[in-house]
Amino acid sequence: MAQAQAHSGQQHPVKLYLLAWGLLFVLSTFSYLVDYFGIQGYARWVLILLFMVLKAGLIVAVFMHMAWERLALVYAILLPPVLVLVFVAMMVSESNYTIFTRLTFSSVGL
Amino acid sequence: MAEYTQAETGGTLQRPEGIRGIAADLSSDQRAFKNVSWGKAMMWIFLLSDTFVFGCFLLAYMTARMSTPVNWPNPSEVFALEIGGQELPLILIAIMTFILISSSGTMAMAVNFGYRRERGRTAALMLLTAVLGATFVGMQAFEWTKLISEGVRPWGNPWGAAQFGSSFFMITGFHGTHVTFGVIFLLIIARKVWRGDFDTERRGFFTSRKGNYEIVEIMGLYWHFVDLVWVFIFAFFYLW
């Protein structure tokens, strides 16, 4: 059985990993430059989130081999974290309420 | 035996693609994820749980930052470093990011050489990954020391909102712990690869089971996850 397993598992050309590695370097540099040039406002948000998602996608898809896994596993792993966004929406609403009460009723900001 | 059926069933059992494939995987009295071994599936499920842990940490930080009327310290200035008389914003964090990405690159290649059964190269690349990981932790220790000496505490800091301190130590501390455990994990597996445990089918000291080269990929999943978490911390904590 050990013999049969010799060539199993996730095997992909090394060139592909080097390409992903290079792209991650480029994207990280872009992220850093957003801060270096002091881009502010919505442009900053859009750029930071875009580079973040691209980097995360490359790591999960190529380095963690998600692109070649069974669809059942991909969905089992990738869908649950998406639901965290519901939690994010709830906490945004909650923190808006907290800062509102702090500014309205508290003279000392905390 | 049962533990050897991994990674082999996919080749012999023709399964439907797409949504029908998911239904086929999850229905009937059979193991889900078919050709995905239990070791890999369990690592993924552990990583999913870890995703929720880090997700909640970042959420707590977002809530703290959004609900305070006091100014949040500017991370770009807080993490600036003076190099050659010039103040460079966020430079330390950028270097740490590049080091961690590089360690992910070497790890991915180690997995590849592992499946090709090139023992020497696999072990060497894993060792290089461990060295890069340790360098990252070292730089984080430097960053902590610098900030502590400047007066940052879990209950306050000199530049504004007290919540900055607690968020910083909690998030980077938990991530640094993950990297540290990863380095230990890497060294253990690198030693096994180097010694040829997976070629001679030597039994593990703890489980008494024969291992195989897939453990390098499973180890890699953990390591890439640490890098993945850093991508989010970099974006939300240091760039926001």
Side-chain angles (χ1 to χ4, degrees), chain B residues 93-138:
Chain B
I93 309 304
I95 297 169
M96 283 165 77
T97 304
F98 287 126
I99 287 178
L100 210 57
I101 286 173
S102 296
S103 77
S104 244
T106 53
M107 186 67 231
M109 285 164 68
V111 173
N112 225 28
F113 287 119
Y115 280 130
R116 291 177 199 186
R117 297 186 163 241
E118 292 186 31
R119 267 195 314 132
R121 278 189 175 182
T122 309
L125 280 165
M126 289 181 86
L127 268 179
L128 182 59
T129 309
V131 168
L132 288 166
T135 310
F136 178 89
V137 179

Side-chain angles (χ1 to χ4, degrees), chain A residues 30-48 51, chain B residues 76 239-240:
Chain A
F30 283 168
S31 296
Y32 178 67
L33 288 179
V34 169
D35 186 71
Y36 189 82
F37 291 126
I39 299 168
Q40 297 298 334
Y42 282 111
R44 186 186 185 95
W45 268 110
V46 170
L47 289 173
I48 287 175
F51 297 140
Chain B
S76 187
L239 293 176
W240 180 10

Side-chain angles (χ1 to χ4, degrees), chain A residues 1-15 17-18 20-22 24-32 34-36 40 44-45 48-49 51-53 55-57 59-60 62-66 68-84 87-100 102-103 108-110, chain B residues 3-8 10 15-19 21-22 25-26 33-36 40-41 44-45 47-48 51-52 55-56 59 62-70 74 76 86 88-91 94 97-99 101-106 108-109 111-117 163 201 212 214 217 220-222 224-225 227-228 231-232 234-236 238-240:
Chain A
M1 286 313 268
Q3 238 29 46
Q5 276 185 36
H7 297 288
S8 67
Q10 294 281 0
Q11 276 210 73
H12 309 284
V14 174
K15 217 169 85 177
Y17 293 123
L18 290 174
W21 192 351
L24 285 170
F25 252 82
V26 171
L27 289 168
S28 295
T29 309
F30 283 168
S31 296
Y32 178 67
V34 169
D35 186 71
Y36 189 82
Q40 297 298 334
R44 186 186 185 95
W45 268 110
I48 287 175
L49 290 181
F51 297 140
M52 181 190 83
V53 169
K55 277 168 75 180
I59 293 170
V60 175
V62 181
F63 283 172
M64 298 172 96
H65 309 126
M66 220 23 151
W68 302 283
E69 294 291 0
R70 298 192 74 80
L71 214 50
L73 181 72
V74 174
Y75 281 162
I77 302 302
L78 293 188
L79 279 185
V82 173
L83 299 177
V84 171
F87 200 0
V88 172
M90 286 161 72
M91 293 318 286
V92 166
S93 153
E94 172 72 16
S95 48
N96 283 338
Y97 177 70
T98 307
I99 196 165
F100 165 75
R102 276 176 171 165
L103 291 171
V108 197
L110 262 176
Chain B
E3 62 260 40
Y4 290 113
T5 56
Q6 59 188 27
E8 298 305 317
R15 299 245 134 233
E17 290 292 309
I19 202 91
I22 295 176
D25 275 2
L26 299 175
F33 312 136
K34 294 300 161 304
N35 61 340
V36 179
K40 201 153 108 178
W44 266 116
I45 287 164
L47 294 180
L48 181 63
T51 305
F52 286 122
C56 288
L59 253 163
M62 179 198 80
T63 311
R65 182 163 173 174
M66 284 182 76
S67 59
T68 172
V70 183
N74 182 358
S76 187
Q86 209 191 350
L88 287 166
L90 218 62
I91 189 72
T97 304
F98 287 126
I99 287 178
I101 286 173
S102 296
S103 77
S104 244
T106 53
M109 285 164 68
V111 173
N112 225 28
F113 287 119
Y115 280 130
R116 291 177 199 186
R117 297 186 163 241
Q163 291 91 328
E201 300 205 309
N212 62 56
E214 197 186 32
E217 189 191 346
L221 286 178
Y222 178 88
H224 296 310
F225 177 78
D227 187 24
L228 181 67
V231 168
F232 289 89
F234 183 52
F236 290 128
Y238 294 100
L239 293 176
W240 180 10

